[in-house]
mmCIF file of all heavy atoms in Angstrom:
data_model
loop_
_atom_site.group_PDB
_atom_site.id
_atom_site.type_symbol
_atom_site.label_atom_id
_atom_site.label_comp_id
_atom_site.label_asym_id
_atom_site.label_seq_id
_atom_site.Cartn_x
_atom_site.Cartn_y
_atom_site.Cartn_z
ATOM 1 N N VAL A 167 186.995 -20.766 203.201
ATOM 2 C CA VAL A 167 188.429 -20.611 203.577
ATOM 3 C C VAL A 167 189.269 -21.694 203.141
ATOM 4 O O VAL A 167 188.825 -22.773 202.782
ATOM 5 C CB VAL A 167 188.574 -20.438 205.119
ATOM 6 C CG1 VAL A 167 187.747 -19.314 205.618
ATOM 7 C CG2 VAL A 167 188.117 -21.719 205.785
ATOM 8 N N GLY A 168 190.486 -21.403 203.113
ATOM 9 C CA GLY A 168 191.572 -22.487 202.890
ATOM 10 C C GLY A 168 192.376 -22.562 204.288
ATOM 11 O O GLY A 168 192.725 -21.517 204.802
ATOM 12 N N ILE A 169 192.564 -23.839 204.718
ATOM 13 C CA ILE A 169 193.206 -24.009 206.021
ATOM 14 C C ILE A 169 194.392 -24.885 205.768
ATOM 15 O O ILE A 169 194.338 -25.972 205.128
ATOM 16 C CB ILE A 169 192.301 -24.717 206.983
ATOM 17 C CG1 ILE A 169 190.974 -23.951 207.182
ATOM 18 C CG2 ILE A 169 192.929 -24.884 208.333
ATOM 19 C CD1 ILE A 169 189.960 -24.667 207.938
ATOM 20 N N PRO A 170 195.598 -24.385 206.185
ATOM 21 C CA PRO A 170 196.789 -25.218 206.085
ATOM 22 C C PRO A 170 196.614 -26.657 206.437
ATOM 23 O O PRO A 170 196.138 -26.966 207.580
ATOM 24 C CB PRO A 170 197.841 -24.501 206.800
ATOM 25 C CG PRO A 170 197.382 -23.112 206.869
ATOM 26 C CD PRO A 170 195.868 -23.154 206.972
ATOM 27 N N ALA A 171 196.941 -27.527 205.604
ATOM 28 C CA ALA A 171 196.721 -29.074 205.921
ATOM 29 C C ALA A 171 197.405 -29.461 207.196
ATOM 30 O O ALA A 171 196.834 -30.236 207.964
ATOM 31 C CB ALA A 171 197.232 -29.880 204.779
ATOM 32 N N LYS A 172 198.537 -28.933 207.487
ATOM 33 C CA LYS A 172 199.325 -29.245 208.771
ATOM 34 C C LYS A 172 198.448 -28.853 209.930
ATOM 35 O O LYS A 172 198.474 -29.516 211.064
ATOM 36 C CB LYS A 172 200.618 -28.680 208.738
ATOM 37 C CG LYS A 172 201.589 -29.353 207.721
ATOM 38 C CD LYS A 172 203.044 -28.851 207.904
ATOM 39 C CE LYS A 172 203.929 -29.612 206.979
ATOM 40 N NZ LYS A 172 205.457 -29.227 207.137
ATOM 41 N N LYS A 173 197.783 -27.686 209.872
ATOM 42 C CA LYS A 173 197.034 -27.256 210.955
ATOM 43 C C LYS A 173 195.788 -28.165 211.197
ATOM 44 O O LYS A 173 195.408 -28.425 212.322
ATOM 45 C CB LYS A 173 196.511 -25.792 210.761
ATOM 46 C CG LYS A 173 197.583 -24.698 210.922
ATOM 47 C CD LYS A 173 197.974 -24.682 212.518
ATOM 48 C CE LYS A 173 198.887 -23.503 212.698
ATOM 49 N NZ LYS A 173 199.262 -23.463 214.131
ATOM 50 N N VAL A 174 195.265 -28.618 210.029
ATOM 51 C CA VAL A 174 194.097 -29.512 210.201
ATOM 52 C C VAL A 174 194.461 -30.861 210.880
ATOM 53 O O VAL A 174 193.772 -31.313 211.824
ATOM 54 C CB VAL A 174 193.579 -29.838 208.733
ATOM 55 C CG1 VAL A 174 192.460 -30.878 208.793
ATOM 56 C CG2 VAL A 174 193.030 -28.590 208.053
ATOM 57 N N LEU A 175 195.621 -31.354 210.531
ATOM 58 C CA LEU A 175 196.006 -32.667 211.166
ATOM 59 C C LEU A 175 196.380 -32.528 212.629
ATOM 60 O O LEU A 175 196.022 -33.434 213.361
ATOM 61 C CB LEU A 175 197.196 -33.313 210.258
ATOM 62 C CG LEU A 175 196.863 -33.658 208.844
ATOM 63 C CD1 LEU A 175 197.999 -34.540 208.370
ATOM 64 C CD2 LEU A 175 195.513 -34.379 208.723
ATOM 65 N N THR A 176 197.138 -31.466 212.897
ATOM 66 C CA THR A 176 197.450 -31.357 214.355
ATOM 67 C C THR A 176 196.269 -30.881 215.224
ATOM 68 O O THR A 176 196.391 -31.042 216.405
ATOM 69 C CB THR A 176 198.516 -30.296 214.498
ATOM 70 O OG1 THR A 176 198.201 -29.040 213.913
ATOM 71 C CG2 THR A 176 199.872 -30.796 213.768
ATOM 72 N N GLY A 177 195.235 -30.452 214.536
ATOM 73 C CA GLY A 177 194.049 -30.101 215.347
ATOM 74 C C GLY A 177 193.096 -31.204 215.567
ATOM 75 O O GLY A 177 192.165 -31.185 216.406
ATOM 76 N N MET A 178 193.298 -32.400 214.848
ATOM 77 C CA MET A 178 192.542 -33.616 215.017
ATOM 78 C C MET A 178 193.326 -34.530 215.857
ATOM 79 O O MET A 178 194.460 -34.407 216.096
ATOM 80 C CB MET A 178 192.099 -34.161 213.656
ATOM 81 C CG MET A 178 191.193 -33.212 212.851
ATOM 82 S SD MET A 178 190.472 -34.031 211.432
ATOM 83 C CE MET A 178 191.827 -34.518 210.535
ATOM 84 N N PRO A 179 192.687 -35.650 216.336
ATOM 85 C CA PRO A 179 193.472 -36.699 217.102
ATOM 86 C C PRO A 179 194.728 -37.055 216.543
ATOM 87 O O PRO A 179 194.870 -37.427 215.276
ATOM 88 C CB PRO A 179 192.463 -37.795 217.151
ATOM 89 C CG PRO A 179 191.151 -37.217 217.110
ATOM 90 C CD PRO A 179 191.285 -35.978 216.131
ATOM 91 N N ARG A 180 195.709 -37.088 217.341
ATOM 92 C CA ARG A 180 197.146 -37.318 216.871
ATOM 93 C C ARG A 180 197.252 -38.871 216.397
ATOM 94 O O ARG A 180 198.143 -39.198 215.671
ATOM 95 C CB ARG A 180 198.085 -37.089 217.960
ATOM 96 C CG ARG A 180 198.000 -38.016 219.201
ATOM 97 C CD ARG A 180 199.029 -37.642 220.307
ATOM 98 N NE ARG A 180 198.774 -36.311 220.872
ATOM 99 C CZ ARG A 180 199.422 -35.783 221.984
ATOM 100 N NH1 ARG A 180 200.296 -36.538 222.562
ATOM 101 N NH2 ARG A 180 199.127 -34.570 222.319
ATOM 102 N N GLY A 181 196.358 -39.763 216.842
ATOM 103 C CA GLY A 181 196.505 -41.164 216.438
ATOM 104 C C GLY A 181 196.134 -41.298 214.989
ATOM 105 O O GLY A 181 196.625 -42.289 214.343
ATOM 106 N N LEU A 182 195.450 -40.360 214.351
ATOM 107 C CA LEU A 182 195.258 -40.432 212.925
ATOM 108 C C LEU A 182 196.461 -40.222 212.085
ATOM 109 O O LEU A 182 196.776 -41.034 211.184
ATOM 110 C CB LEU A 182 194.191 -39.313 212.471
ATOM 111 C CG LEU A 182 192.807 -39.515 212.930
ATOM 112 C CD1 LEU A 182 191.921 -38.293 212.642
ATOM 113 C CD2 LEU A 182 192.117 -40.668 212.259
ATOM 114 N N PHE A 183 197.258 -39.247 212.533
ATOM 115 C CA PHE A 183 198.549 -39.025 211.808
ATOM 116 C C PHE A 183 199.624 -38.605 212.904
ATOM 117 O O PHE A 183 199.809 -37.417 213.245
ATOM 118 C CB PHE A 183 198.340 -37.854 210.859
ATOM 119 C CG PHE A 183 197.351 -38.170 209.801
ATOM 120 C CD1 PHE A 183 196.029 -37.728 209.886
ATOM 121 C CD2 PHE A 183 197.754 -38.872 208.760
ATOM 122 C CE1 PHE A 183 195.051 -38.013 208.947
ATOM 123 C CE2 PHE A 183 196.824 -39.230 207.689
ATOM 124 C CZ PHE A 183 195.506 -38.724 207.806
ATOM 125 N N PRO A 184 200.388 -39.640 213.481
ATOM 126 C CA PRO A 184 201.407 -39.307 214.506
ATOM 127 C C PRO A 184 202.338 -38.373 213.956
ATOM 128 O O PRO A 184 202.940 -37.547 214.737
ATOM 129 C CB PRO A 184 201.903 -40.743 214.753
ATOM 130 C CG PRO A 184 200.826 -41.708 214.411
ATOM 131 C CD PRO A 184 200.134 -41.051 213.216
ATOM 132 N N ASP A 185 202.680 -38.408 212.691
ATOM 133 C CA ASP A 185 203.642 -37.506 212.090
ATOM 134 C C ASP A 185 202.974 -36.859 210.960
ATOM 135 O O ASP A 185 202.244 -37.503 210.087
ATOM 136 C CB ASP A 185 204.886 -38.260 211.556
ATOM 137 C CG ASP A 185 205.616 -39.013 212.662
ATOM 138 O OD1 ASP A 185 205.937 -38.411 213.652
ATOM 139 O OD2 ASP A 185 205.813 -40.224 212.544
ATOM 140 N N VAL A 186 203.067 -35.550 210.821
ATOM 141 C CA VAL A 186 202.498 -34.783 209.713
ATOM 142 C C VAL A 186 203.352 -34.959 208.486
ATOM 143 O O VAL A 186 204.575 -34.608 208.470
ATOM 144 C CB VAL A 186 202.355 -33.250 209.994
ATOM 145 C CG1 VAL A 186 201.814 -32.521 208.863
ATOM 146 C CG2 VAL A 186 201.548 -33.047 211.266
ATOM 147 N N PRO A 187 202.860 -35.522 207.362
ATOM 148 C CA PRO A 187 203.630 -35.825 206.165
ATOM 149 C C PRO A 187 204.250 -34.531 205.574
ATOM 150 O O PRO A 187 203.542 -33.549 205.444
ATOM 151 C CB PRO A 187 202.557 -36.507 205.257
ATOM 152 C CG PRO A 187 201.535 -37.004 206.095
ATOM 153 C CD PRO A 187 201.471 -36.055 207.291
ATOM 154 N N ALA A 188 205.486 -34.646 205.179
ATOM 155 C CA ALA A 188 206.114 -33.479 204.621
ATOM 156 C C ALA A 188 205.410 -33.122 203.260
ATOM 157 O O ALA A 188 205.526 -31.929 202.856
ATOM 158 C CB ALA A 188 207.604 -33.813 204.312
ATOM 159 N N ALA A 189 204.781 -34.079 202.584
ATOM 160 C CA ALA A 189 204.111 -33.809 201.320
ATOM 161 C C ALA A 189 203.016 -32.784 201.477
ATOM 162 O O ALA A 189 202.487 -32.323 200.450
ATOM 163 C CB ALA A 189 203.585 -35.161 200.753
ATOM 164 N N LEU A 190 202.596 -32.472 202.674
ATOM 165 C CA LEU A 190 201.440 -31.516 202.820
ATOM 166 C C LEU A 190 201.923 -30.109 202.895
ATOM 167 O O LEU A 190 201.108 -29.170 203.028
ATOM 168 C CB LEU A 190 200.706 -31.755 204.132
ATOM 169 C CG LEU A 190 199.920 -33.150 204.159
ATOM 170 C CD1 LEU A 190 199.258 -33.358 205.556
ATOM 171 C CD2 LEU A 190 198.890 -33.086 203.028
ATOM 172 N N ASP A 191 203.251 -29.816 202.742
ATOM 173 C CA ASP A 191 203.728 -28.437 202.671
ATOM 174 C C ASP A 191 203.039 -27.694 201.562
ATOM 175 O O ASP A 191 203.030 -28.118 200.372
ATOM 176 C CB ASP A 191 205.215 -28.472 202.456
ATOM 177 C CG ASP A 191 206.093 -28.822 203.608
ATOM 178 O OD1 ASP A 191 205.533 -28.761 204.761
ATOM 179 O OD2 ASP A 191 207.242 -29.217 203.461
ATOM 180 N N GLY A 192 202.423 -26.557 201.933
ATOM 181 C CA GLY A 192 201.660 -25.744 200.908
ATOM 182 C C GLY A 192 200.346 -26.144 200.580
ATOM 183 O O GLY A 192 199.663 -25.514 199.758
ATOM 184 N N VAL A 193 199.933 -27.227 201.088
ATOM 185 C CA VAL A 193 198.632 -27.808 200.761
ATOM 186 C C VAL A 193 197.522 -27.215 201.758
ATOM 187 O O VAL A 193 197.758 -27.015 202.912
ATOM 188 C CB VAL A 193 198.557 -29.364 200.863
ATOM 189 C CG1 VAL A 193 197.113 -29.917 200.656
ATOM 190 C CG2 VAL A 193 199.432 -29.925 199.815
ATOM 191 N N GLU A 194 196.304 -26.907 201.204
ATOM 192 C CA GLU A 194 195.246 -26.420 202.026
ATOM 193 C C GLU A 194 194.011 -27.400 201.875
ATOM 194 O O GLU A 194 193.794 -28.028 200.897
ATOM 195 C CB GLU A 194 194.801 -25.050 201.552
ATOM 196 C CG GLU A 194 195.852 -23.890 201.961
ATOM 197 C CD GLU A 194 195.274 -22.554 201.535
ATOM 198 O OE1 GLU A 194 194.406 -22.481 200.541
ATOM 199 O OE2 GLU A 194 195.627 -21.562 202.128
ATOM 200 N N ALA A 195 193.165 -27.319 202.970
ATOM 201 C CA ALA A 195 191.898 -27.997 202.993
ATOM 202 C C ALA A 195 190.840 -26.870 202.756
ATOM 203 O O ALA A 195 191.009 -25.813 203.198
ATOM 204 C CB ALA A 195 191.688 -28.727 204.271
ATOM 205 N N LYS A 196 189.800 -27.305 202.036
ATOM 206 C CA LYS A 196 188.702 -26.397 201.902
ATOM 207 C C LYS A 196 187.786 -26.353 203.155
ATOM 208 O O LYS A 196 187.628 -27.393 203.753
ATOM 209 C CB LYS A 196 187.814 -26.777 200.742
ATOM 210 C CG LYS A 196 188.495 -26.831 199.361
ATOM 211 C CD LYS A 196 187.556 -27.360 198.291
ATOM 212 C CE LYS A 196 188.260 -27.751 196.989
ATOM 213 N NZ LYS A 196 187.279 -28.318 196.045
ATOM 214 N N GLY A 197 187.363 -25.251 203.518
ATOM 215 C CA GLY A 197 186.462 -25.196 204.688
ATOM 216 C C GLY A 197 185.481 -24.002 204.573
ATOM 217 O O GLY A 197 185.566 -23.150 203.723
ATOM 218 N N VAL A 198 184.521 -24.115 205.482
ATOM 219 C CA VAL A 198 183.589 -22.922 205.706
ATOM 220 C C VAL A 198 183.470 -22.693 207.199
ATOM 221 O O VAL A 198 183.272 -23.636 207.969
ATOM 222 C CB VAL A 198 182.171 -23.311 205.155
ATOM 223 C CG1 VAL A 198 181.152 -22.238 205.449
ATOM 224 C CG2 VAL A 198 182.210 -23.499 203.654
ATOM 225 N N VAL A 199 183.519 -21.473 207.621
ATOM 226 C CA VAL A 199 183.395 -21.032 209.013
ATOM 227 C C VAL A 199 182.278 -20.078 209.007
ATOM 228 O O VAL A 199 182.243 -19.182 208.201
ATOM 229 C CB VAL A 199 184.660 -20.466 209.582
ATOM 230 C CG1 VAL A 199 185.719 -21.496 209.791
ATOM 231 C CG2 VAL A 199 185.290 -19.337 208.795
ATOM 232 N N THR A 200 181.365 -20.282 209.937
ATOM 233 C CA THR A 200 180.074 -19.469 209.950
ATOM 234 C C THR A 200 179.929 -19.025 211.405
ATOM 235 O O THR A 200 179.849 -19.741 212.309
ATOM 236 C CB THR A 200 178.930 -20.199 209.485
ATOM 237 O OG1 THR A 200 179.162 -20.825 208.241
ATOM 238 C CG2 THR A 200 177.665 -19.378 209.501
ATOM 239 N N PRO A 201 179.756 -17.582 211.647
ATOM 240 C CA PRO A 201 179.411 -17.146 212.975
ATOM 241 C C PRO A 201 177.878 -17.206 213.288
ATOM 242 O O PRO A 201 177.076 -17.041 212.347
ATOM 243 C CB PRO A 201 179.913 -15.714 212.860
ATOM 244 C CG PRO A 201 179.686 -15.284 211.450
ATOM 245 C CD PRO A 201 179.951 -16.567 210.628
ATOM 246 N N HIS A 202 177.574 -17.481 214.442
ATOM 247 C CA HIS A 202 176.182 -17.402 214.947
ATOM 248 C C HIS A 202 176.102 -16.572 216.179
ATOM 249 O O HIS A 202 176.403 -17.036 217.330
ATOM 250 C CB HIS A 202 175.672 -18.918 215.234
ATOM 251 C CG HIS A 202 175.677 -19.696 214.106
ATOM 252 N ND1 HIS A 202 174.522 -19.776 213.135
ATOM 253 C CD2 HIS A 202 176.508 -20.657 213.504
ATOM 254 C CE1 HIS A 202 174.816 -20.608 212.125
ATOM 255 N NE2 HIS A 202 176.015 -21.200 212.334
ATOM 256 N N GLY A 203 175.878 -15.303 216.046
ATOM 257 C CA GLY A 203 175.951 -14.423 217.169
ATOM 258 C C GLY A 203 177.311 -14.178 217.579
ATOM 259 O O GLY A 203 178.232 -14.330 216.787
ATOM 260 N N SER A 204 177.540 -13.607 218.732
ATOM 261 C CA SER A 204 178.852 -13.177 219.218
ATOM 262 C C SER A 204 179.618 -14.328 220.008
ATOM 263 O O SER A 204 180.696 -14.032 220.472
ATOM 264 C CB SER A 204 178.739 -11.952 220.092
ATOM 265 O OG SER A 204 177.877 -12.163 221.203
ATOM 266 N N HIS A 205 178.947 -15.466 220.214
ATOM 267 C CA HIS A 205 179.556 -16.395 221.122
ATOM 268 C C HIS A 205 179.651 -17.919 220.451
ATOM 269 O O HIS A 205 179.999 -18.798 221.236
ATOM 270 C CB HIS A 205 178.758 -16.525 222.426
ATOM 271 C CG HIS A 205 178.747 -15.282 223.206
ATOM 272 N ND1 HIS A 205 179.895 -14.860 223.871
ATOM 273 C CD2 HIS A 205 177.833 -14.366 223.338
ATOM 274 C CE1 HIS A 205 179.587 -13.705 224.469
ATOM 275 N NE2 HIS A 205 178.290 -13.382 224.195
ATOM 276 N N PHE A 206 179.333 -17.945 219.244
ATOM 277 C CA PHE A 206 179.283 -19.321 218.655
ATOM 278 C C PHE A 206 179.779 -19.298 217.188
ATOM 279 O O PHE A 206 179.332 -18.504 216.345
ATOM 280 C CB PHE A 206 177.788 -19.746 218.689
ATOM 281 C CG PHE A 206 177.590 -21.178 218.386
ATOM 282 C CD1 PHE A 206 177.590 -22.217 219.293
ATOM 283 C CD2 PHE A 206 177.261 -21.549 217.117
ATOM 284 C CE1 PHE A 206 177.289 -23.545 219.032
ATOM 285 C CE2 PHE A 206 177.022 -22.892 216.667
ATOM 286 C CZ PHE A 206 177.019 -23.896 217.733
ATOM 287 N N ILE A 207 180.593 -20.237 216.852
ATOM 288 C CA ILE A 207 181.171 -20.437 215.437
ATOM 289 C C ILE A 207 181.067 -21.903 215.060
ATOM 290 O O ILE A 207 181.278 -22.817 215.825
ATOM 291 C CB ILE A 207 182.565 -19.978 215.488
ATOM 292 C CG1 ILE A 207 182.648 -18.454 215.633
ATOM 293 C CG2 ILE A 207 183.235 -20.389 214.065
ATOM 294 C CD1 ILE A 207 184.057 -17.866 215.663
ATOM 295 N N GLU A 208 180.732 -22.049 213.795
ATOM 296 C CA GLU A 208 180.428 -23.370 213.226
ATOM 297 C C GLU A 208 181.450 -23.645 212.075
ATOM 298 O O GLU A 208 181.774 -22.676 211.381
ATOM 299 C CB GLU A 208 178.996 -23.368 212.684
ATOM 300 C CG GLU A 208 178.472 -24.708 212.154
ATOM 301 C CD GLU A 208 177.083 -24.504 211.746
ATOM 302 O OE1 GLU A 208 176.510 -23.364 211.766
ATOM 303 O OE2 GLU A 208 176.435 -25.538 211.412
ATOM 304 N N VAL A 209 181.945 -24.844 211.967
ATOM 305 C CA VAL A 209 183.085 -25.081 211.086
ATOM 306 C C VAL A 209 182.769 -26.413 210.249
ATOM 307 O O VAL A 209 182.255 -27.370 210.906
ATOM 308 C CB VAL A 209 184.416 -25.256 211.812
ATOM 309 C CG1 VAL A 209 185.539 -25.548 210.889
ATOM 310 C CG2 VAL A 209 184.782 -24.036 212.531
ATOM 311 N N SER A 210 183.080 -26.448 208.963
ATOM 312 C CA SER A 210 183.102 -27.672 208.266
ATOM 313 C C SER A 210 184.440 -27.711 207.364
ATOM 314 O O SER A 210 184.774 -26.663 206.870
ATOM 315 C CB SER A 210 181.907 -27.762 207.280
ATOM 316 O OG SER A 210 180.715 -27.852 207.920
ATOM 317 N N VAL A 211 185.159 -28.802 207.463
ATOM 318 C CA VAL A 211 186.413 -28.885 206.706
ATOM 319 C C VAL A 211 186.369 -30.219 205.904
ATOM 320 O O VAL A 211 186.120 -31.312 206.434
ATOM 321 C CB VAL A 211 187.614 -28.893 207.723
ATOM 322 C CG1 VAL A 211 188.888 -29.012 206.892
ATOM 323 C CG2 VAL A 211 187.611 -27.713 208.656
#
Side-chain angles (χ1 to χ4, degrees):
V167 298
I169 305 172
K172 290 188 175 184
K173 285 291 186 180
V174 175
L175 296 194
T176 57
M178 296 194 302
R180 65 182 66 172
L182 289 171
F183 300 95
D185 300 306
V186 178
L190 290 178
D191 286 341
V193 174
E194 287 184 333
K196 301 177 190 177
V198 173
V199 291
T200 306
H202 295 277
S204 60
H205 298 285
F206 188 90
I207 290 177
E208 187 176 6
V209 177
S210 290
V211 182

